Amino acid sequence: MSDADINIPVQSVDEARTLLGPLDCNARLIRELHGVSVLARAGGLRLLGDAEHTTVVQSVLEECLRRMRIGHKVSTQDVATELRKTLGMMSADGGTEHERPVRPTGSGVVRARTEGQQAYLDMIDKNDVVFGVGPAGTGKTYLAVAKAIEAMKEGGVQRLVLVRPAVEAGEKLGFLPGDYQAKIDPYLRPMHDALSDLLDPRTRNRWLESEVVEVCPLAYMRGRTLNQAFVILDEAQNTTVQQMLMFLTRLGESSRMVVTGDPSQVDLPGNIRSGLGDALHRLQDVEGVGIARLGVADVVRHKVVGRIVTAYEKFDREQQSRSPD
């Protein structure tokens, strides 16, 4: 498949903001659904990616611009809805997407874009606890959140619990301003981003306010039992062995659990063993536990991300081969 580089002229900052959304939420959605990068440039938006998908994104954005310019009211959420609809139509018309879509919303669909992603989704359907392991950009967290919302909409669970360990990635939590909640909010932002992409604002706000959806740090899990819940632990490589055991034993009746992480991106101090790697070793043959290993072939962000991951892995292998025993 060939690459494309397309520019979409915009006439005002408001047009660009409507298309991209608050904090570029639609740009992230485009990247997750289509693997197309959207770059804001003076007087326009630049689309970079696979030619087929880039053309689809172009048609959606240009149609939204056309409607705005003839006086129709078009919101950021309208743009997101059209993007999701088009992905579904691509697949229905014989596109390259895999079968068995996830339907986290009434009109939108999320589909596996690689065989590894489809195996991951199938594993979530068949197991009570699933580990989704792989590098950045493989969709492991996004797909898990989509499955959680789908389970909620279908009545399979009554609440969603999205969890992250608050571990500094080379930065210090204490230097952030505000109280504890303000300090941990940046660590939970990726979970909120996924919710924003997959739910309309009204539903998302209603679920968060009623605590049907809970987004919280791992420390808040101690002592709890989660019944009839879909529970996701993200960035699990930054848990200790004790924290991982504590989290896994929160699973209650009629609940499901997905644990995602990248073992190559551990931010724990060097003398502390990652709970993710430990759990993968201990639980590989346990009934009801599935382990999906995603790789560079499953990266669906900008194509250069896959090349970057490959380069880092190659460098690490070379360094290890040169190290004395």
Side-chain angles (χ1 to χ4, degrees), residues 6-8 10 12-13 15-17 19-21 24 27 31 37-48 61:
I6 296 173
N7 186 68
I8 299 177
V10 295
S12 67
V13 173
E15 285 188 349
R17 285 175 177 167
L19 295 179
L20 295 176
D24 292 342
R31 188 167 59 247
S37 293
V38 184
L39 307 176
R41 293 289 183 264
L45 302 177
R46 185 183 182 191
L47 308 180
L48 299 170
L61 299 185

Side-chain angles (χ1 to χ4, degrees), residues 37 40 75 79 115 129 139-140 143 160 166 170 173 187 189 244 250 268 270-271 287-288:
S37 293
S75 68
V79 179
E115 292 183 2
V129 177
K140 53 189 183 292
L143 291 173
L160 314 181
L173 185 63
Y187 294 90
R189 176 51 51 188
M244 177 62 76
R250 300 309 93 197
L268 296 168
N271 61 334
E287 183 179 355

Side-chain angles (χ1 to χ4, degrees), residues 82-121:
E82 292 305 314
L83 287 164
R84 295 189 184 101
K85 286 180 179 178
T86 305
L87 182 62
M89 286 187 291
M90 282 184 64
S91 301
D93 291 340
T96 59
E97 307 304 321
H98 290 256
E99 297 300 319
R100 300 181 62 184
V102 182
R103 290 184 170 84
T105 63
S107 60
V109 295
V110 174
R111 295 177 182 268
R113 298 186 58 210
T114 69
E115 292 183 2
Q117 287 185 348
Q118 188 59 60
Y120 176 41
L121 293 175

Side-chain angles (χ1 to χ4, degrees), residues 177-298:
D179 58 15
Y180 180 70
Q181 188 63 45
K183 291 176 187 293
I184 65 172
D185 276 348
Y187 294 90
L188 304 178
R189 176 51 51 188
M191 309 297 278
H192 283 287
D193 288 345
L195 289 174
S196 296
D197 282 352
L198 293 166
L199 288 174
D200 64 89
R202 182 177 298 177
T203 300
R204 174 172 51 84
N205 292 336
R206 186 176 72 250
W207 283 10
L208 287 169
E209 289 170 2
S210 63
E211 297 187 347
V212 168
V213 173
E214 180 181 359
V215 183
C216 62
L218 179 61
Y220 286 16
M221 290 293 100
R222 190 172 299 279
R224 301 178 62 180
T225 300
L226 300 171
N227 296 318
Q228 295 182 304
F230 198 118
V231 193
I232 299 173
L233 173 61
D234 192 31
E235 298 290 342
Q237 73 275 5
N238 289 329
T239 63
T240 65
V241 174
Q242 293 76 17
Q243 286 174 330
M244 177 62 76
L245 176 60
M246 179 273 290
F247 176 78
L248 293 174
T249 54
R250 300 309 93 197
L251 192 66
E253 293 183 2
S254 302
S255 289
R256 301 160 66 185
M257 183 175 283
V258 177
V259 178
T260 69
D262 179 359
S264 70
Q265 297 294 323
V266 177
D267 297 314
L268 296 168
N271 61 334
I272 297 180
R273 187 178 184 185
S274 168
L276 177 59
D278 179 79
L280 294 174
H281 177 72
R282 294 176 189 258
L283 305 179
Q284 57 185 333
D285 297 319
V286 173
E287 183 179 355
V289 175
I291 299 175
R293 299 184 185 273
L294 301 166
V296 174
D298 301 302

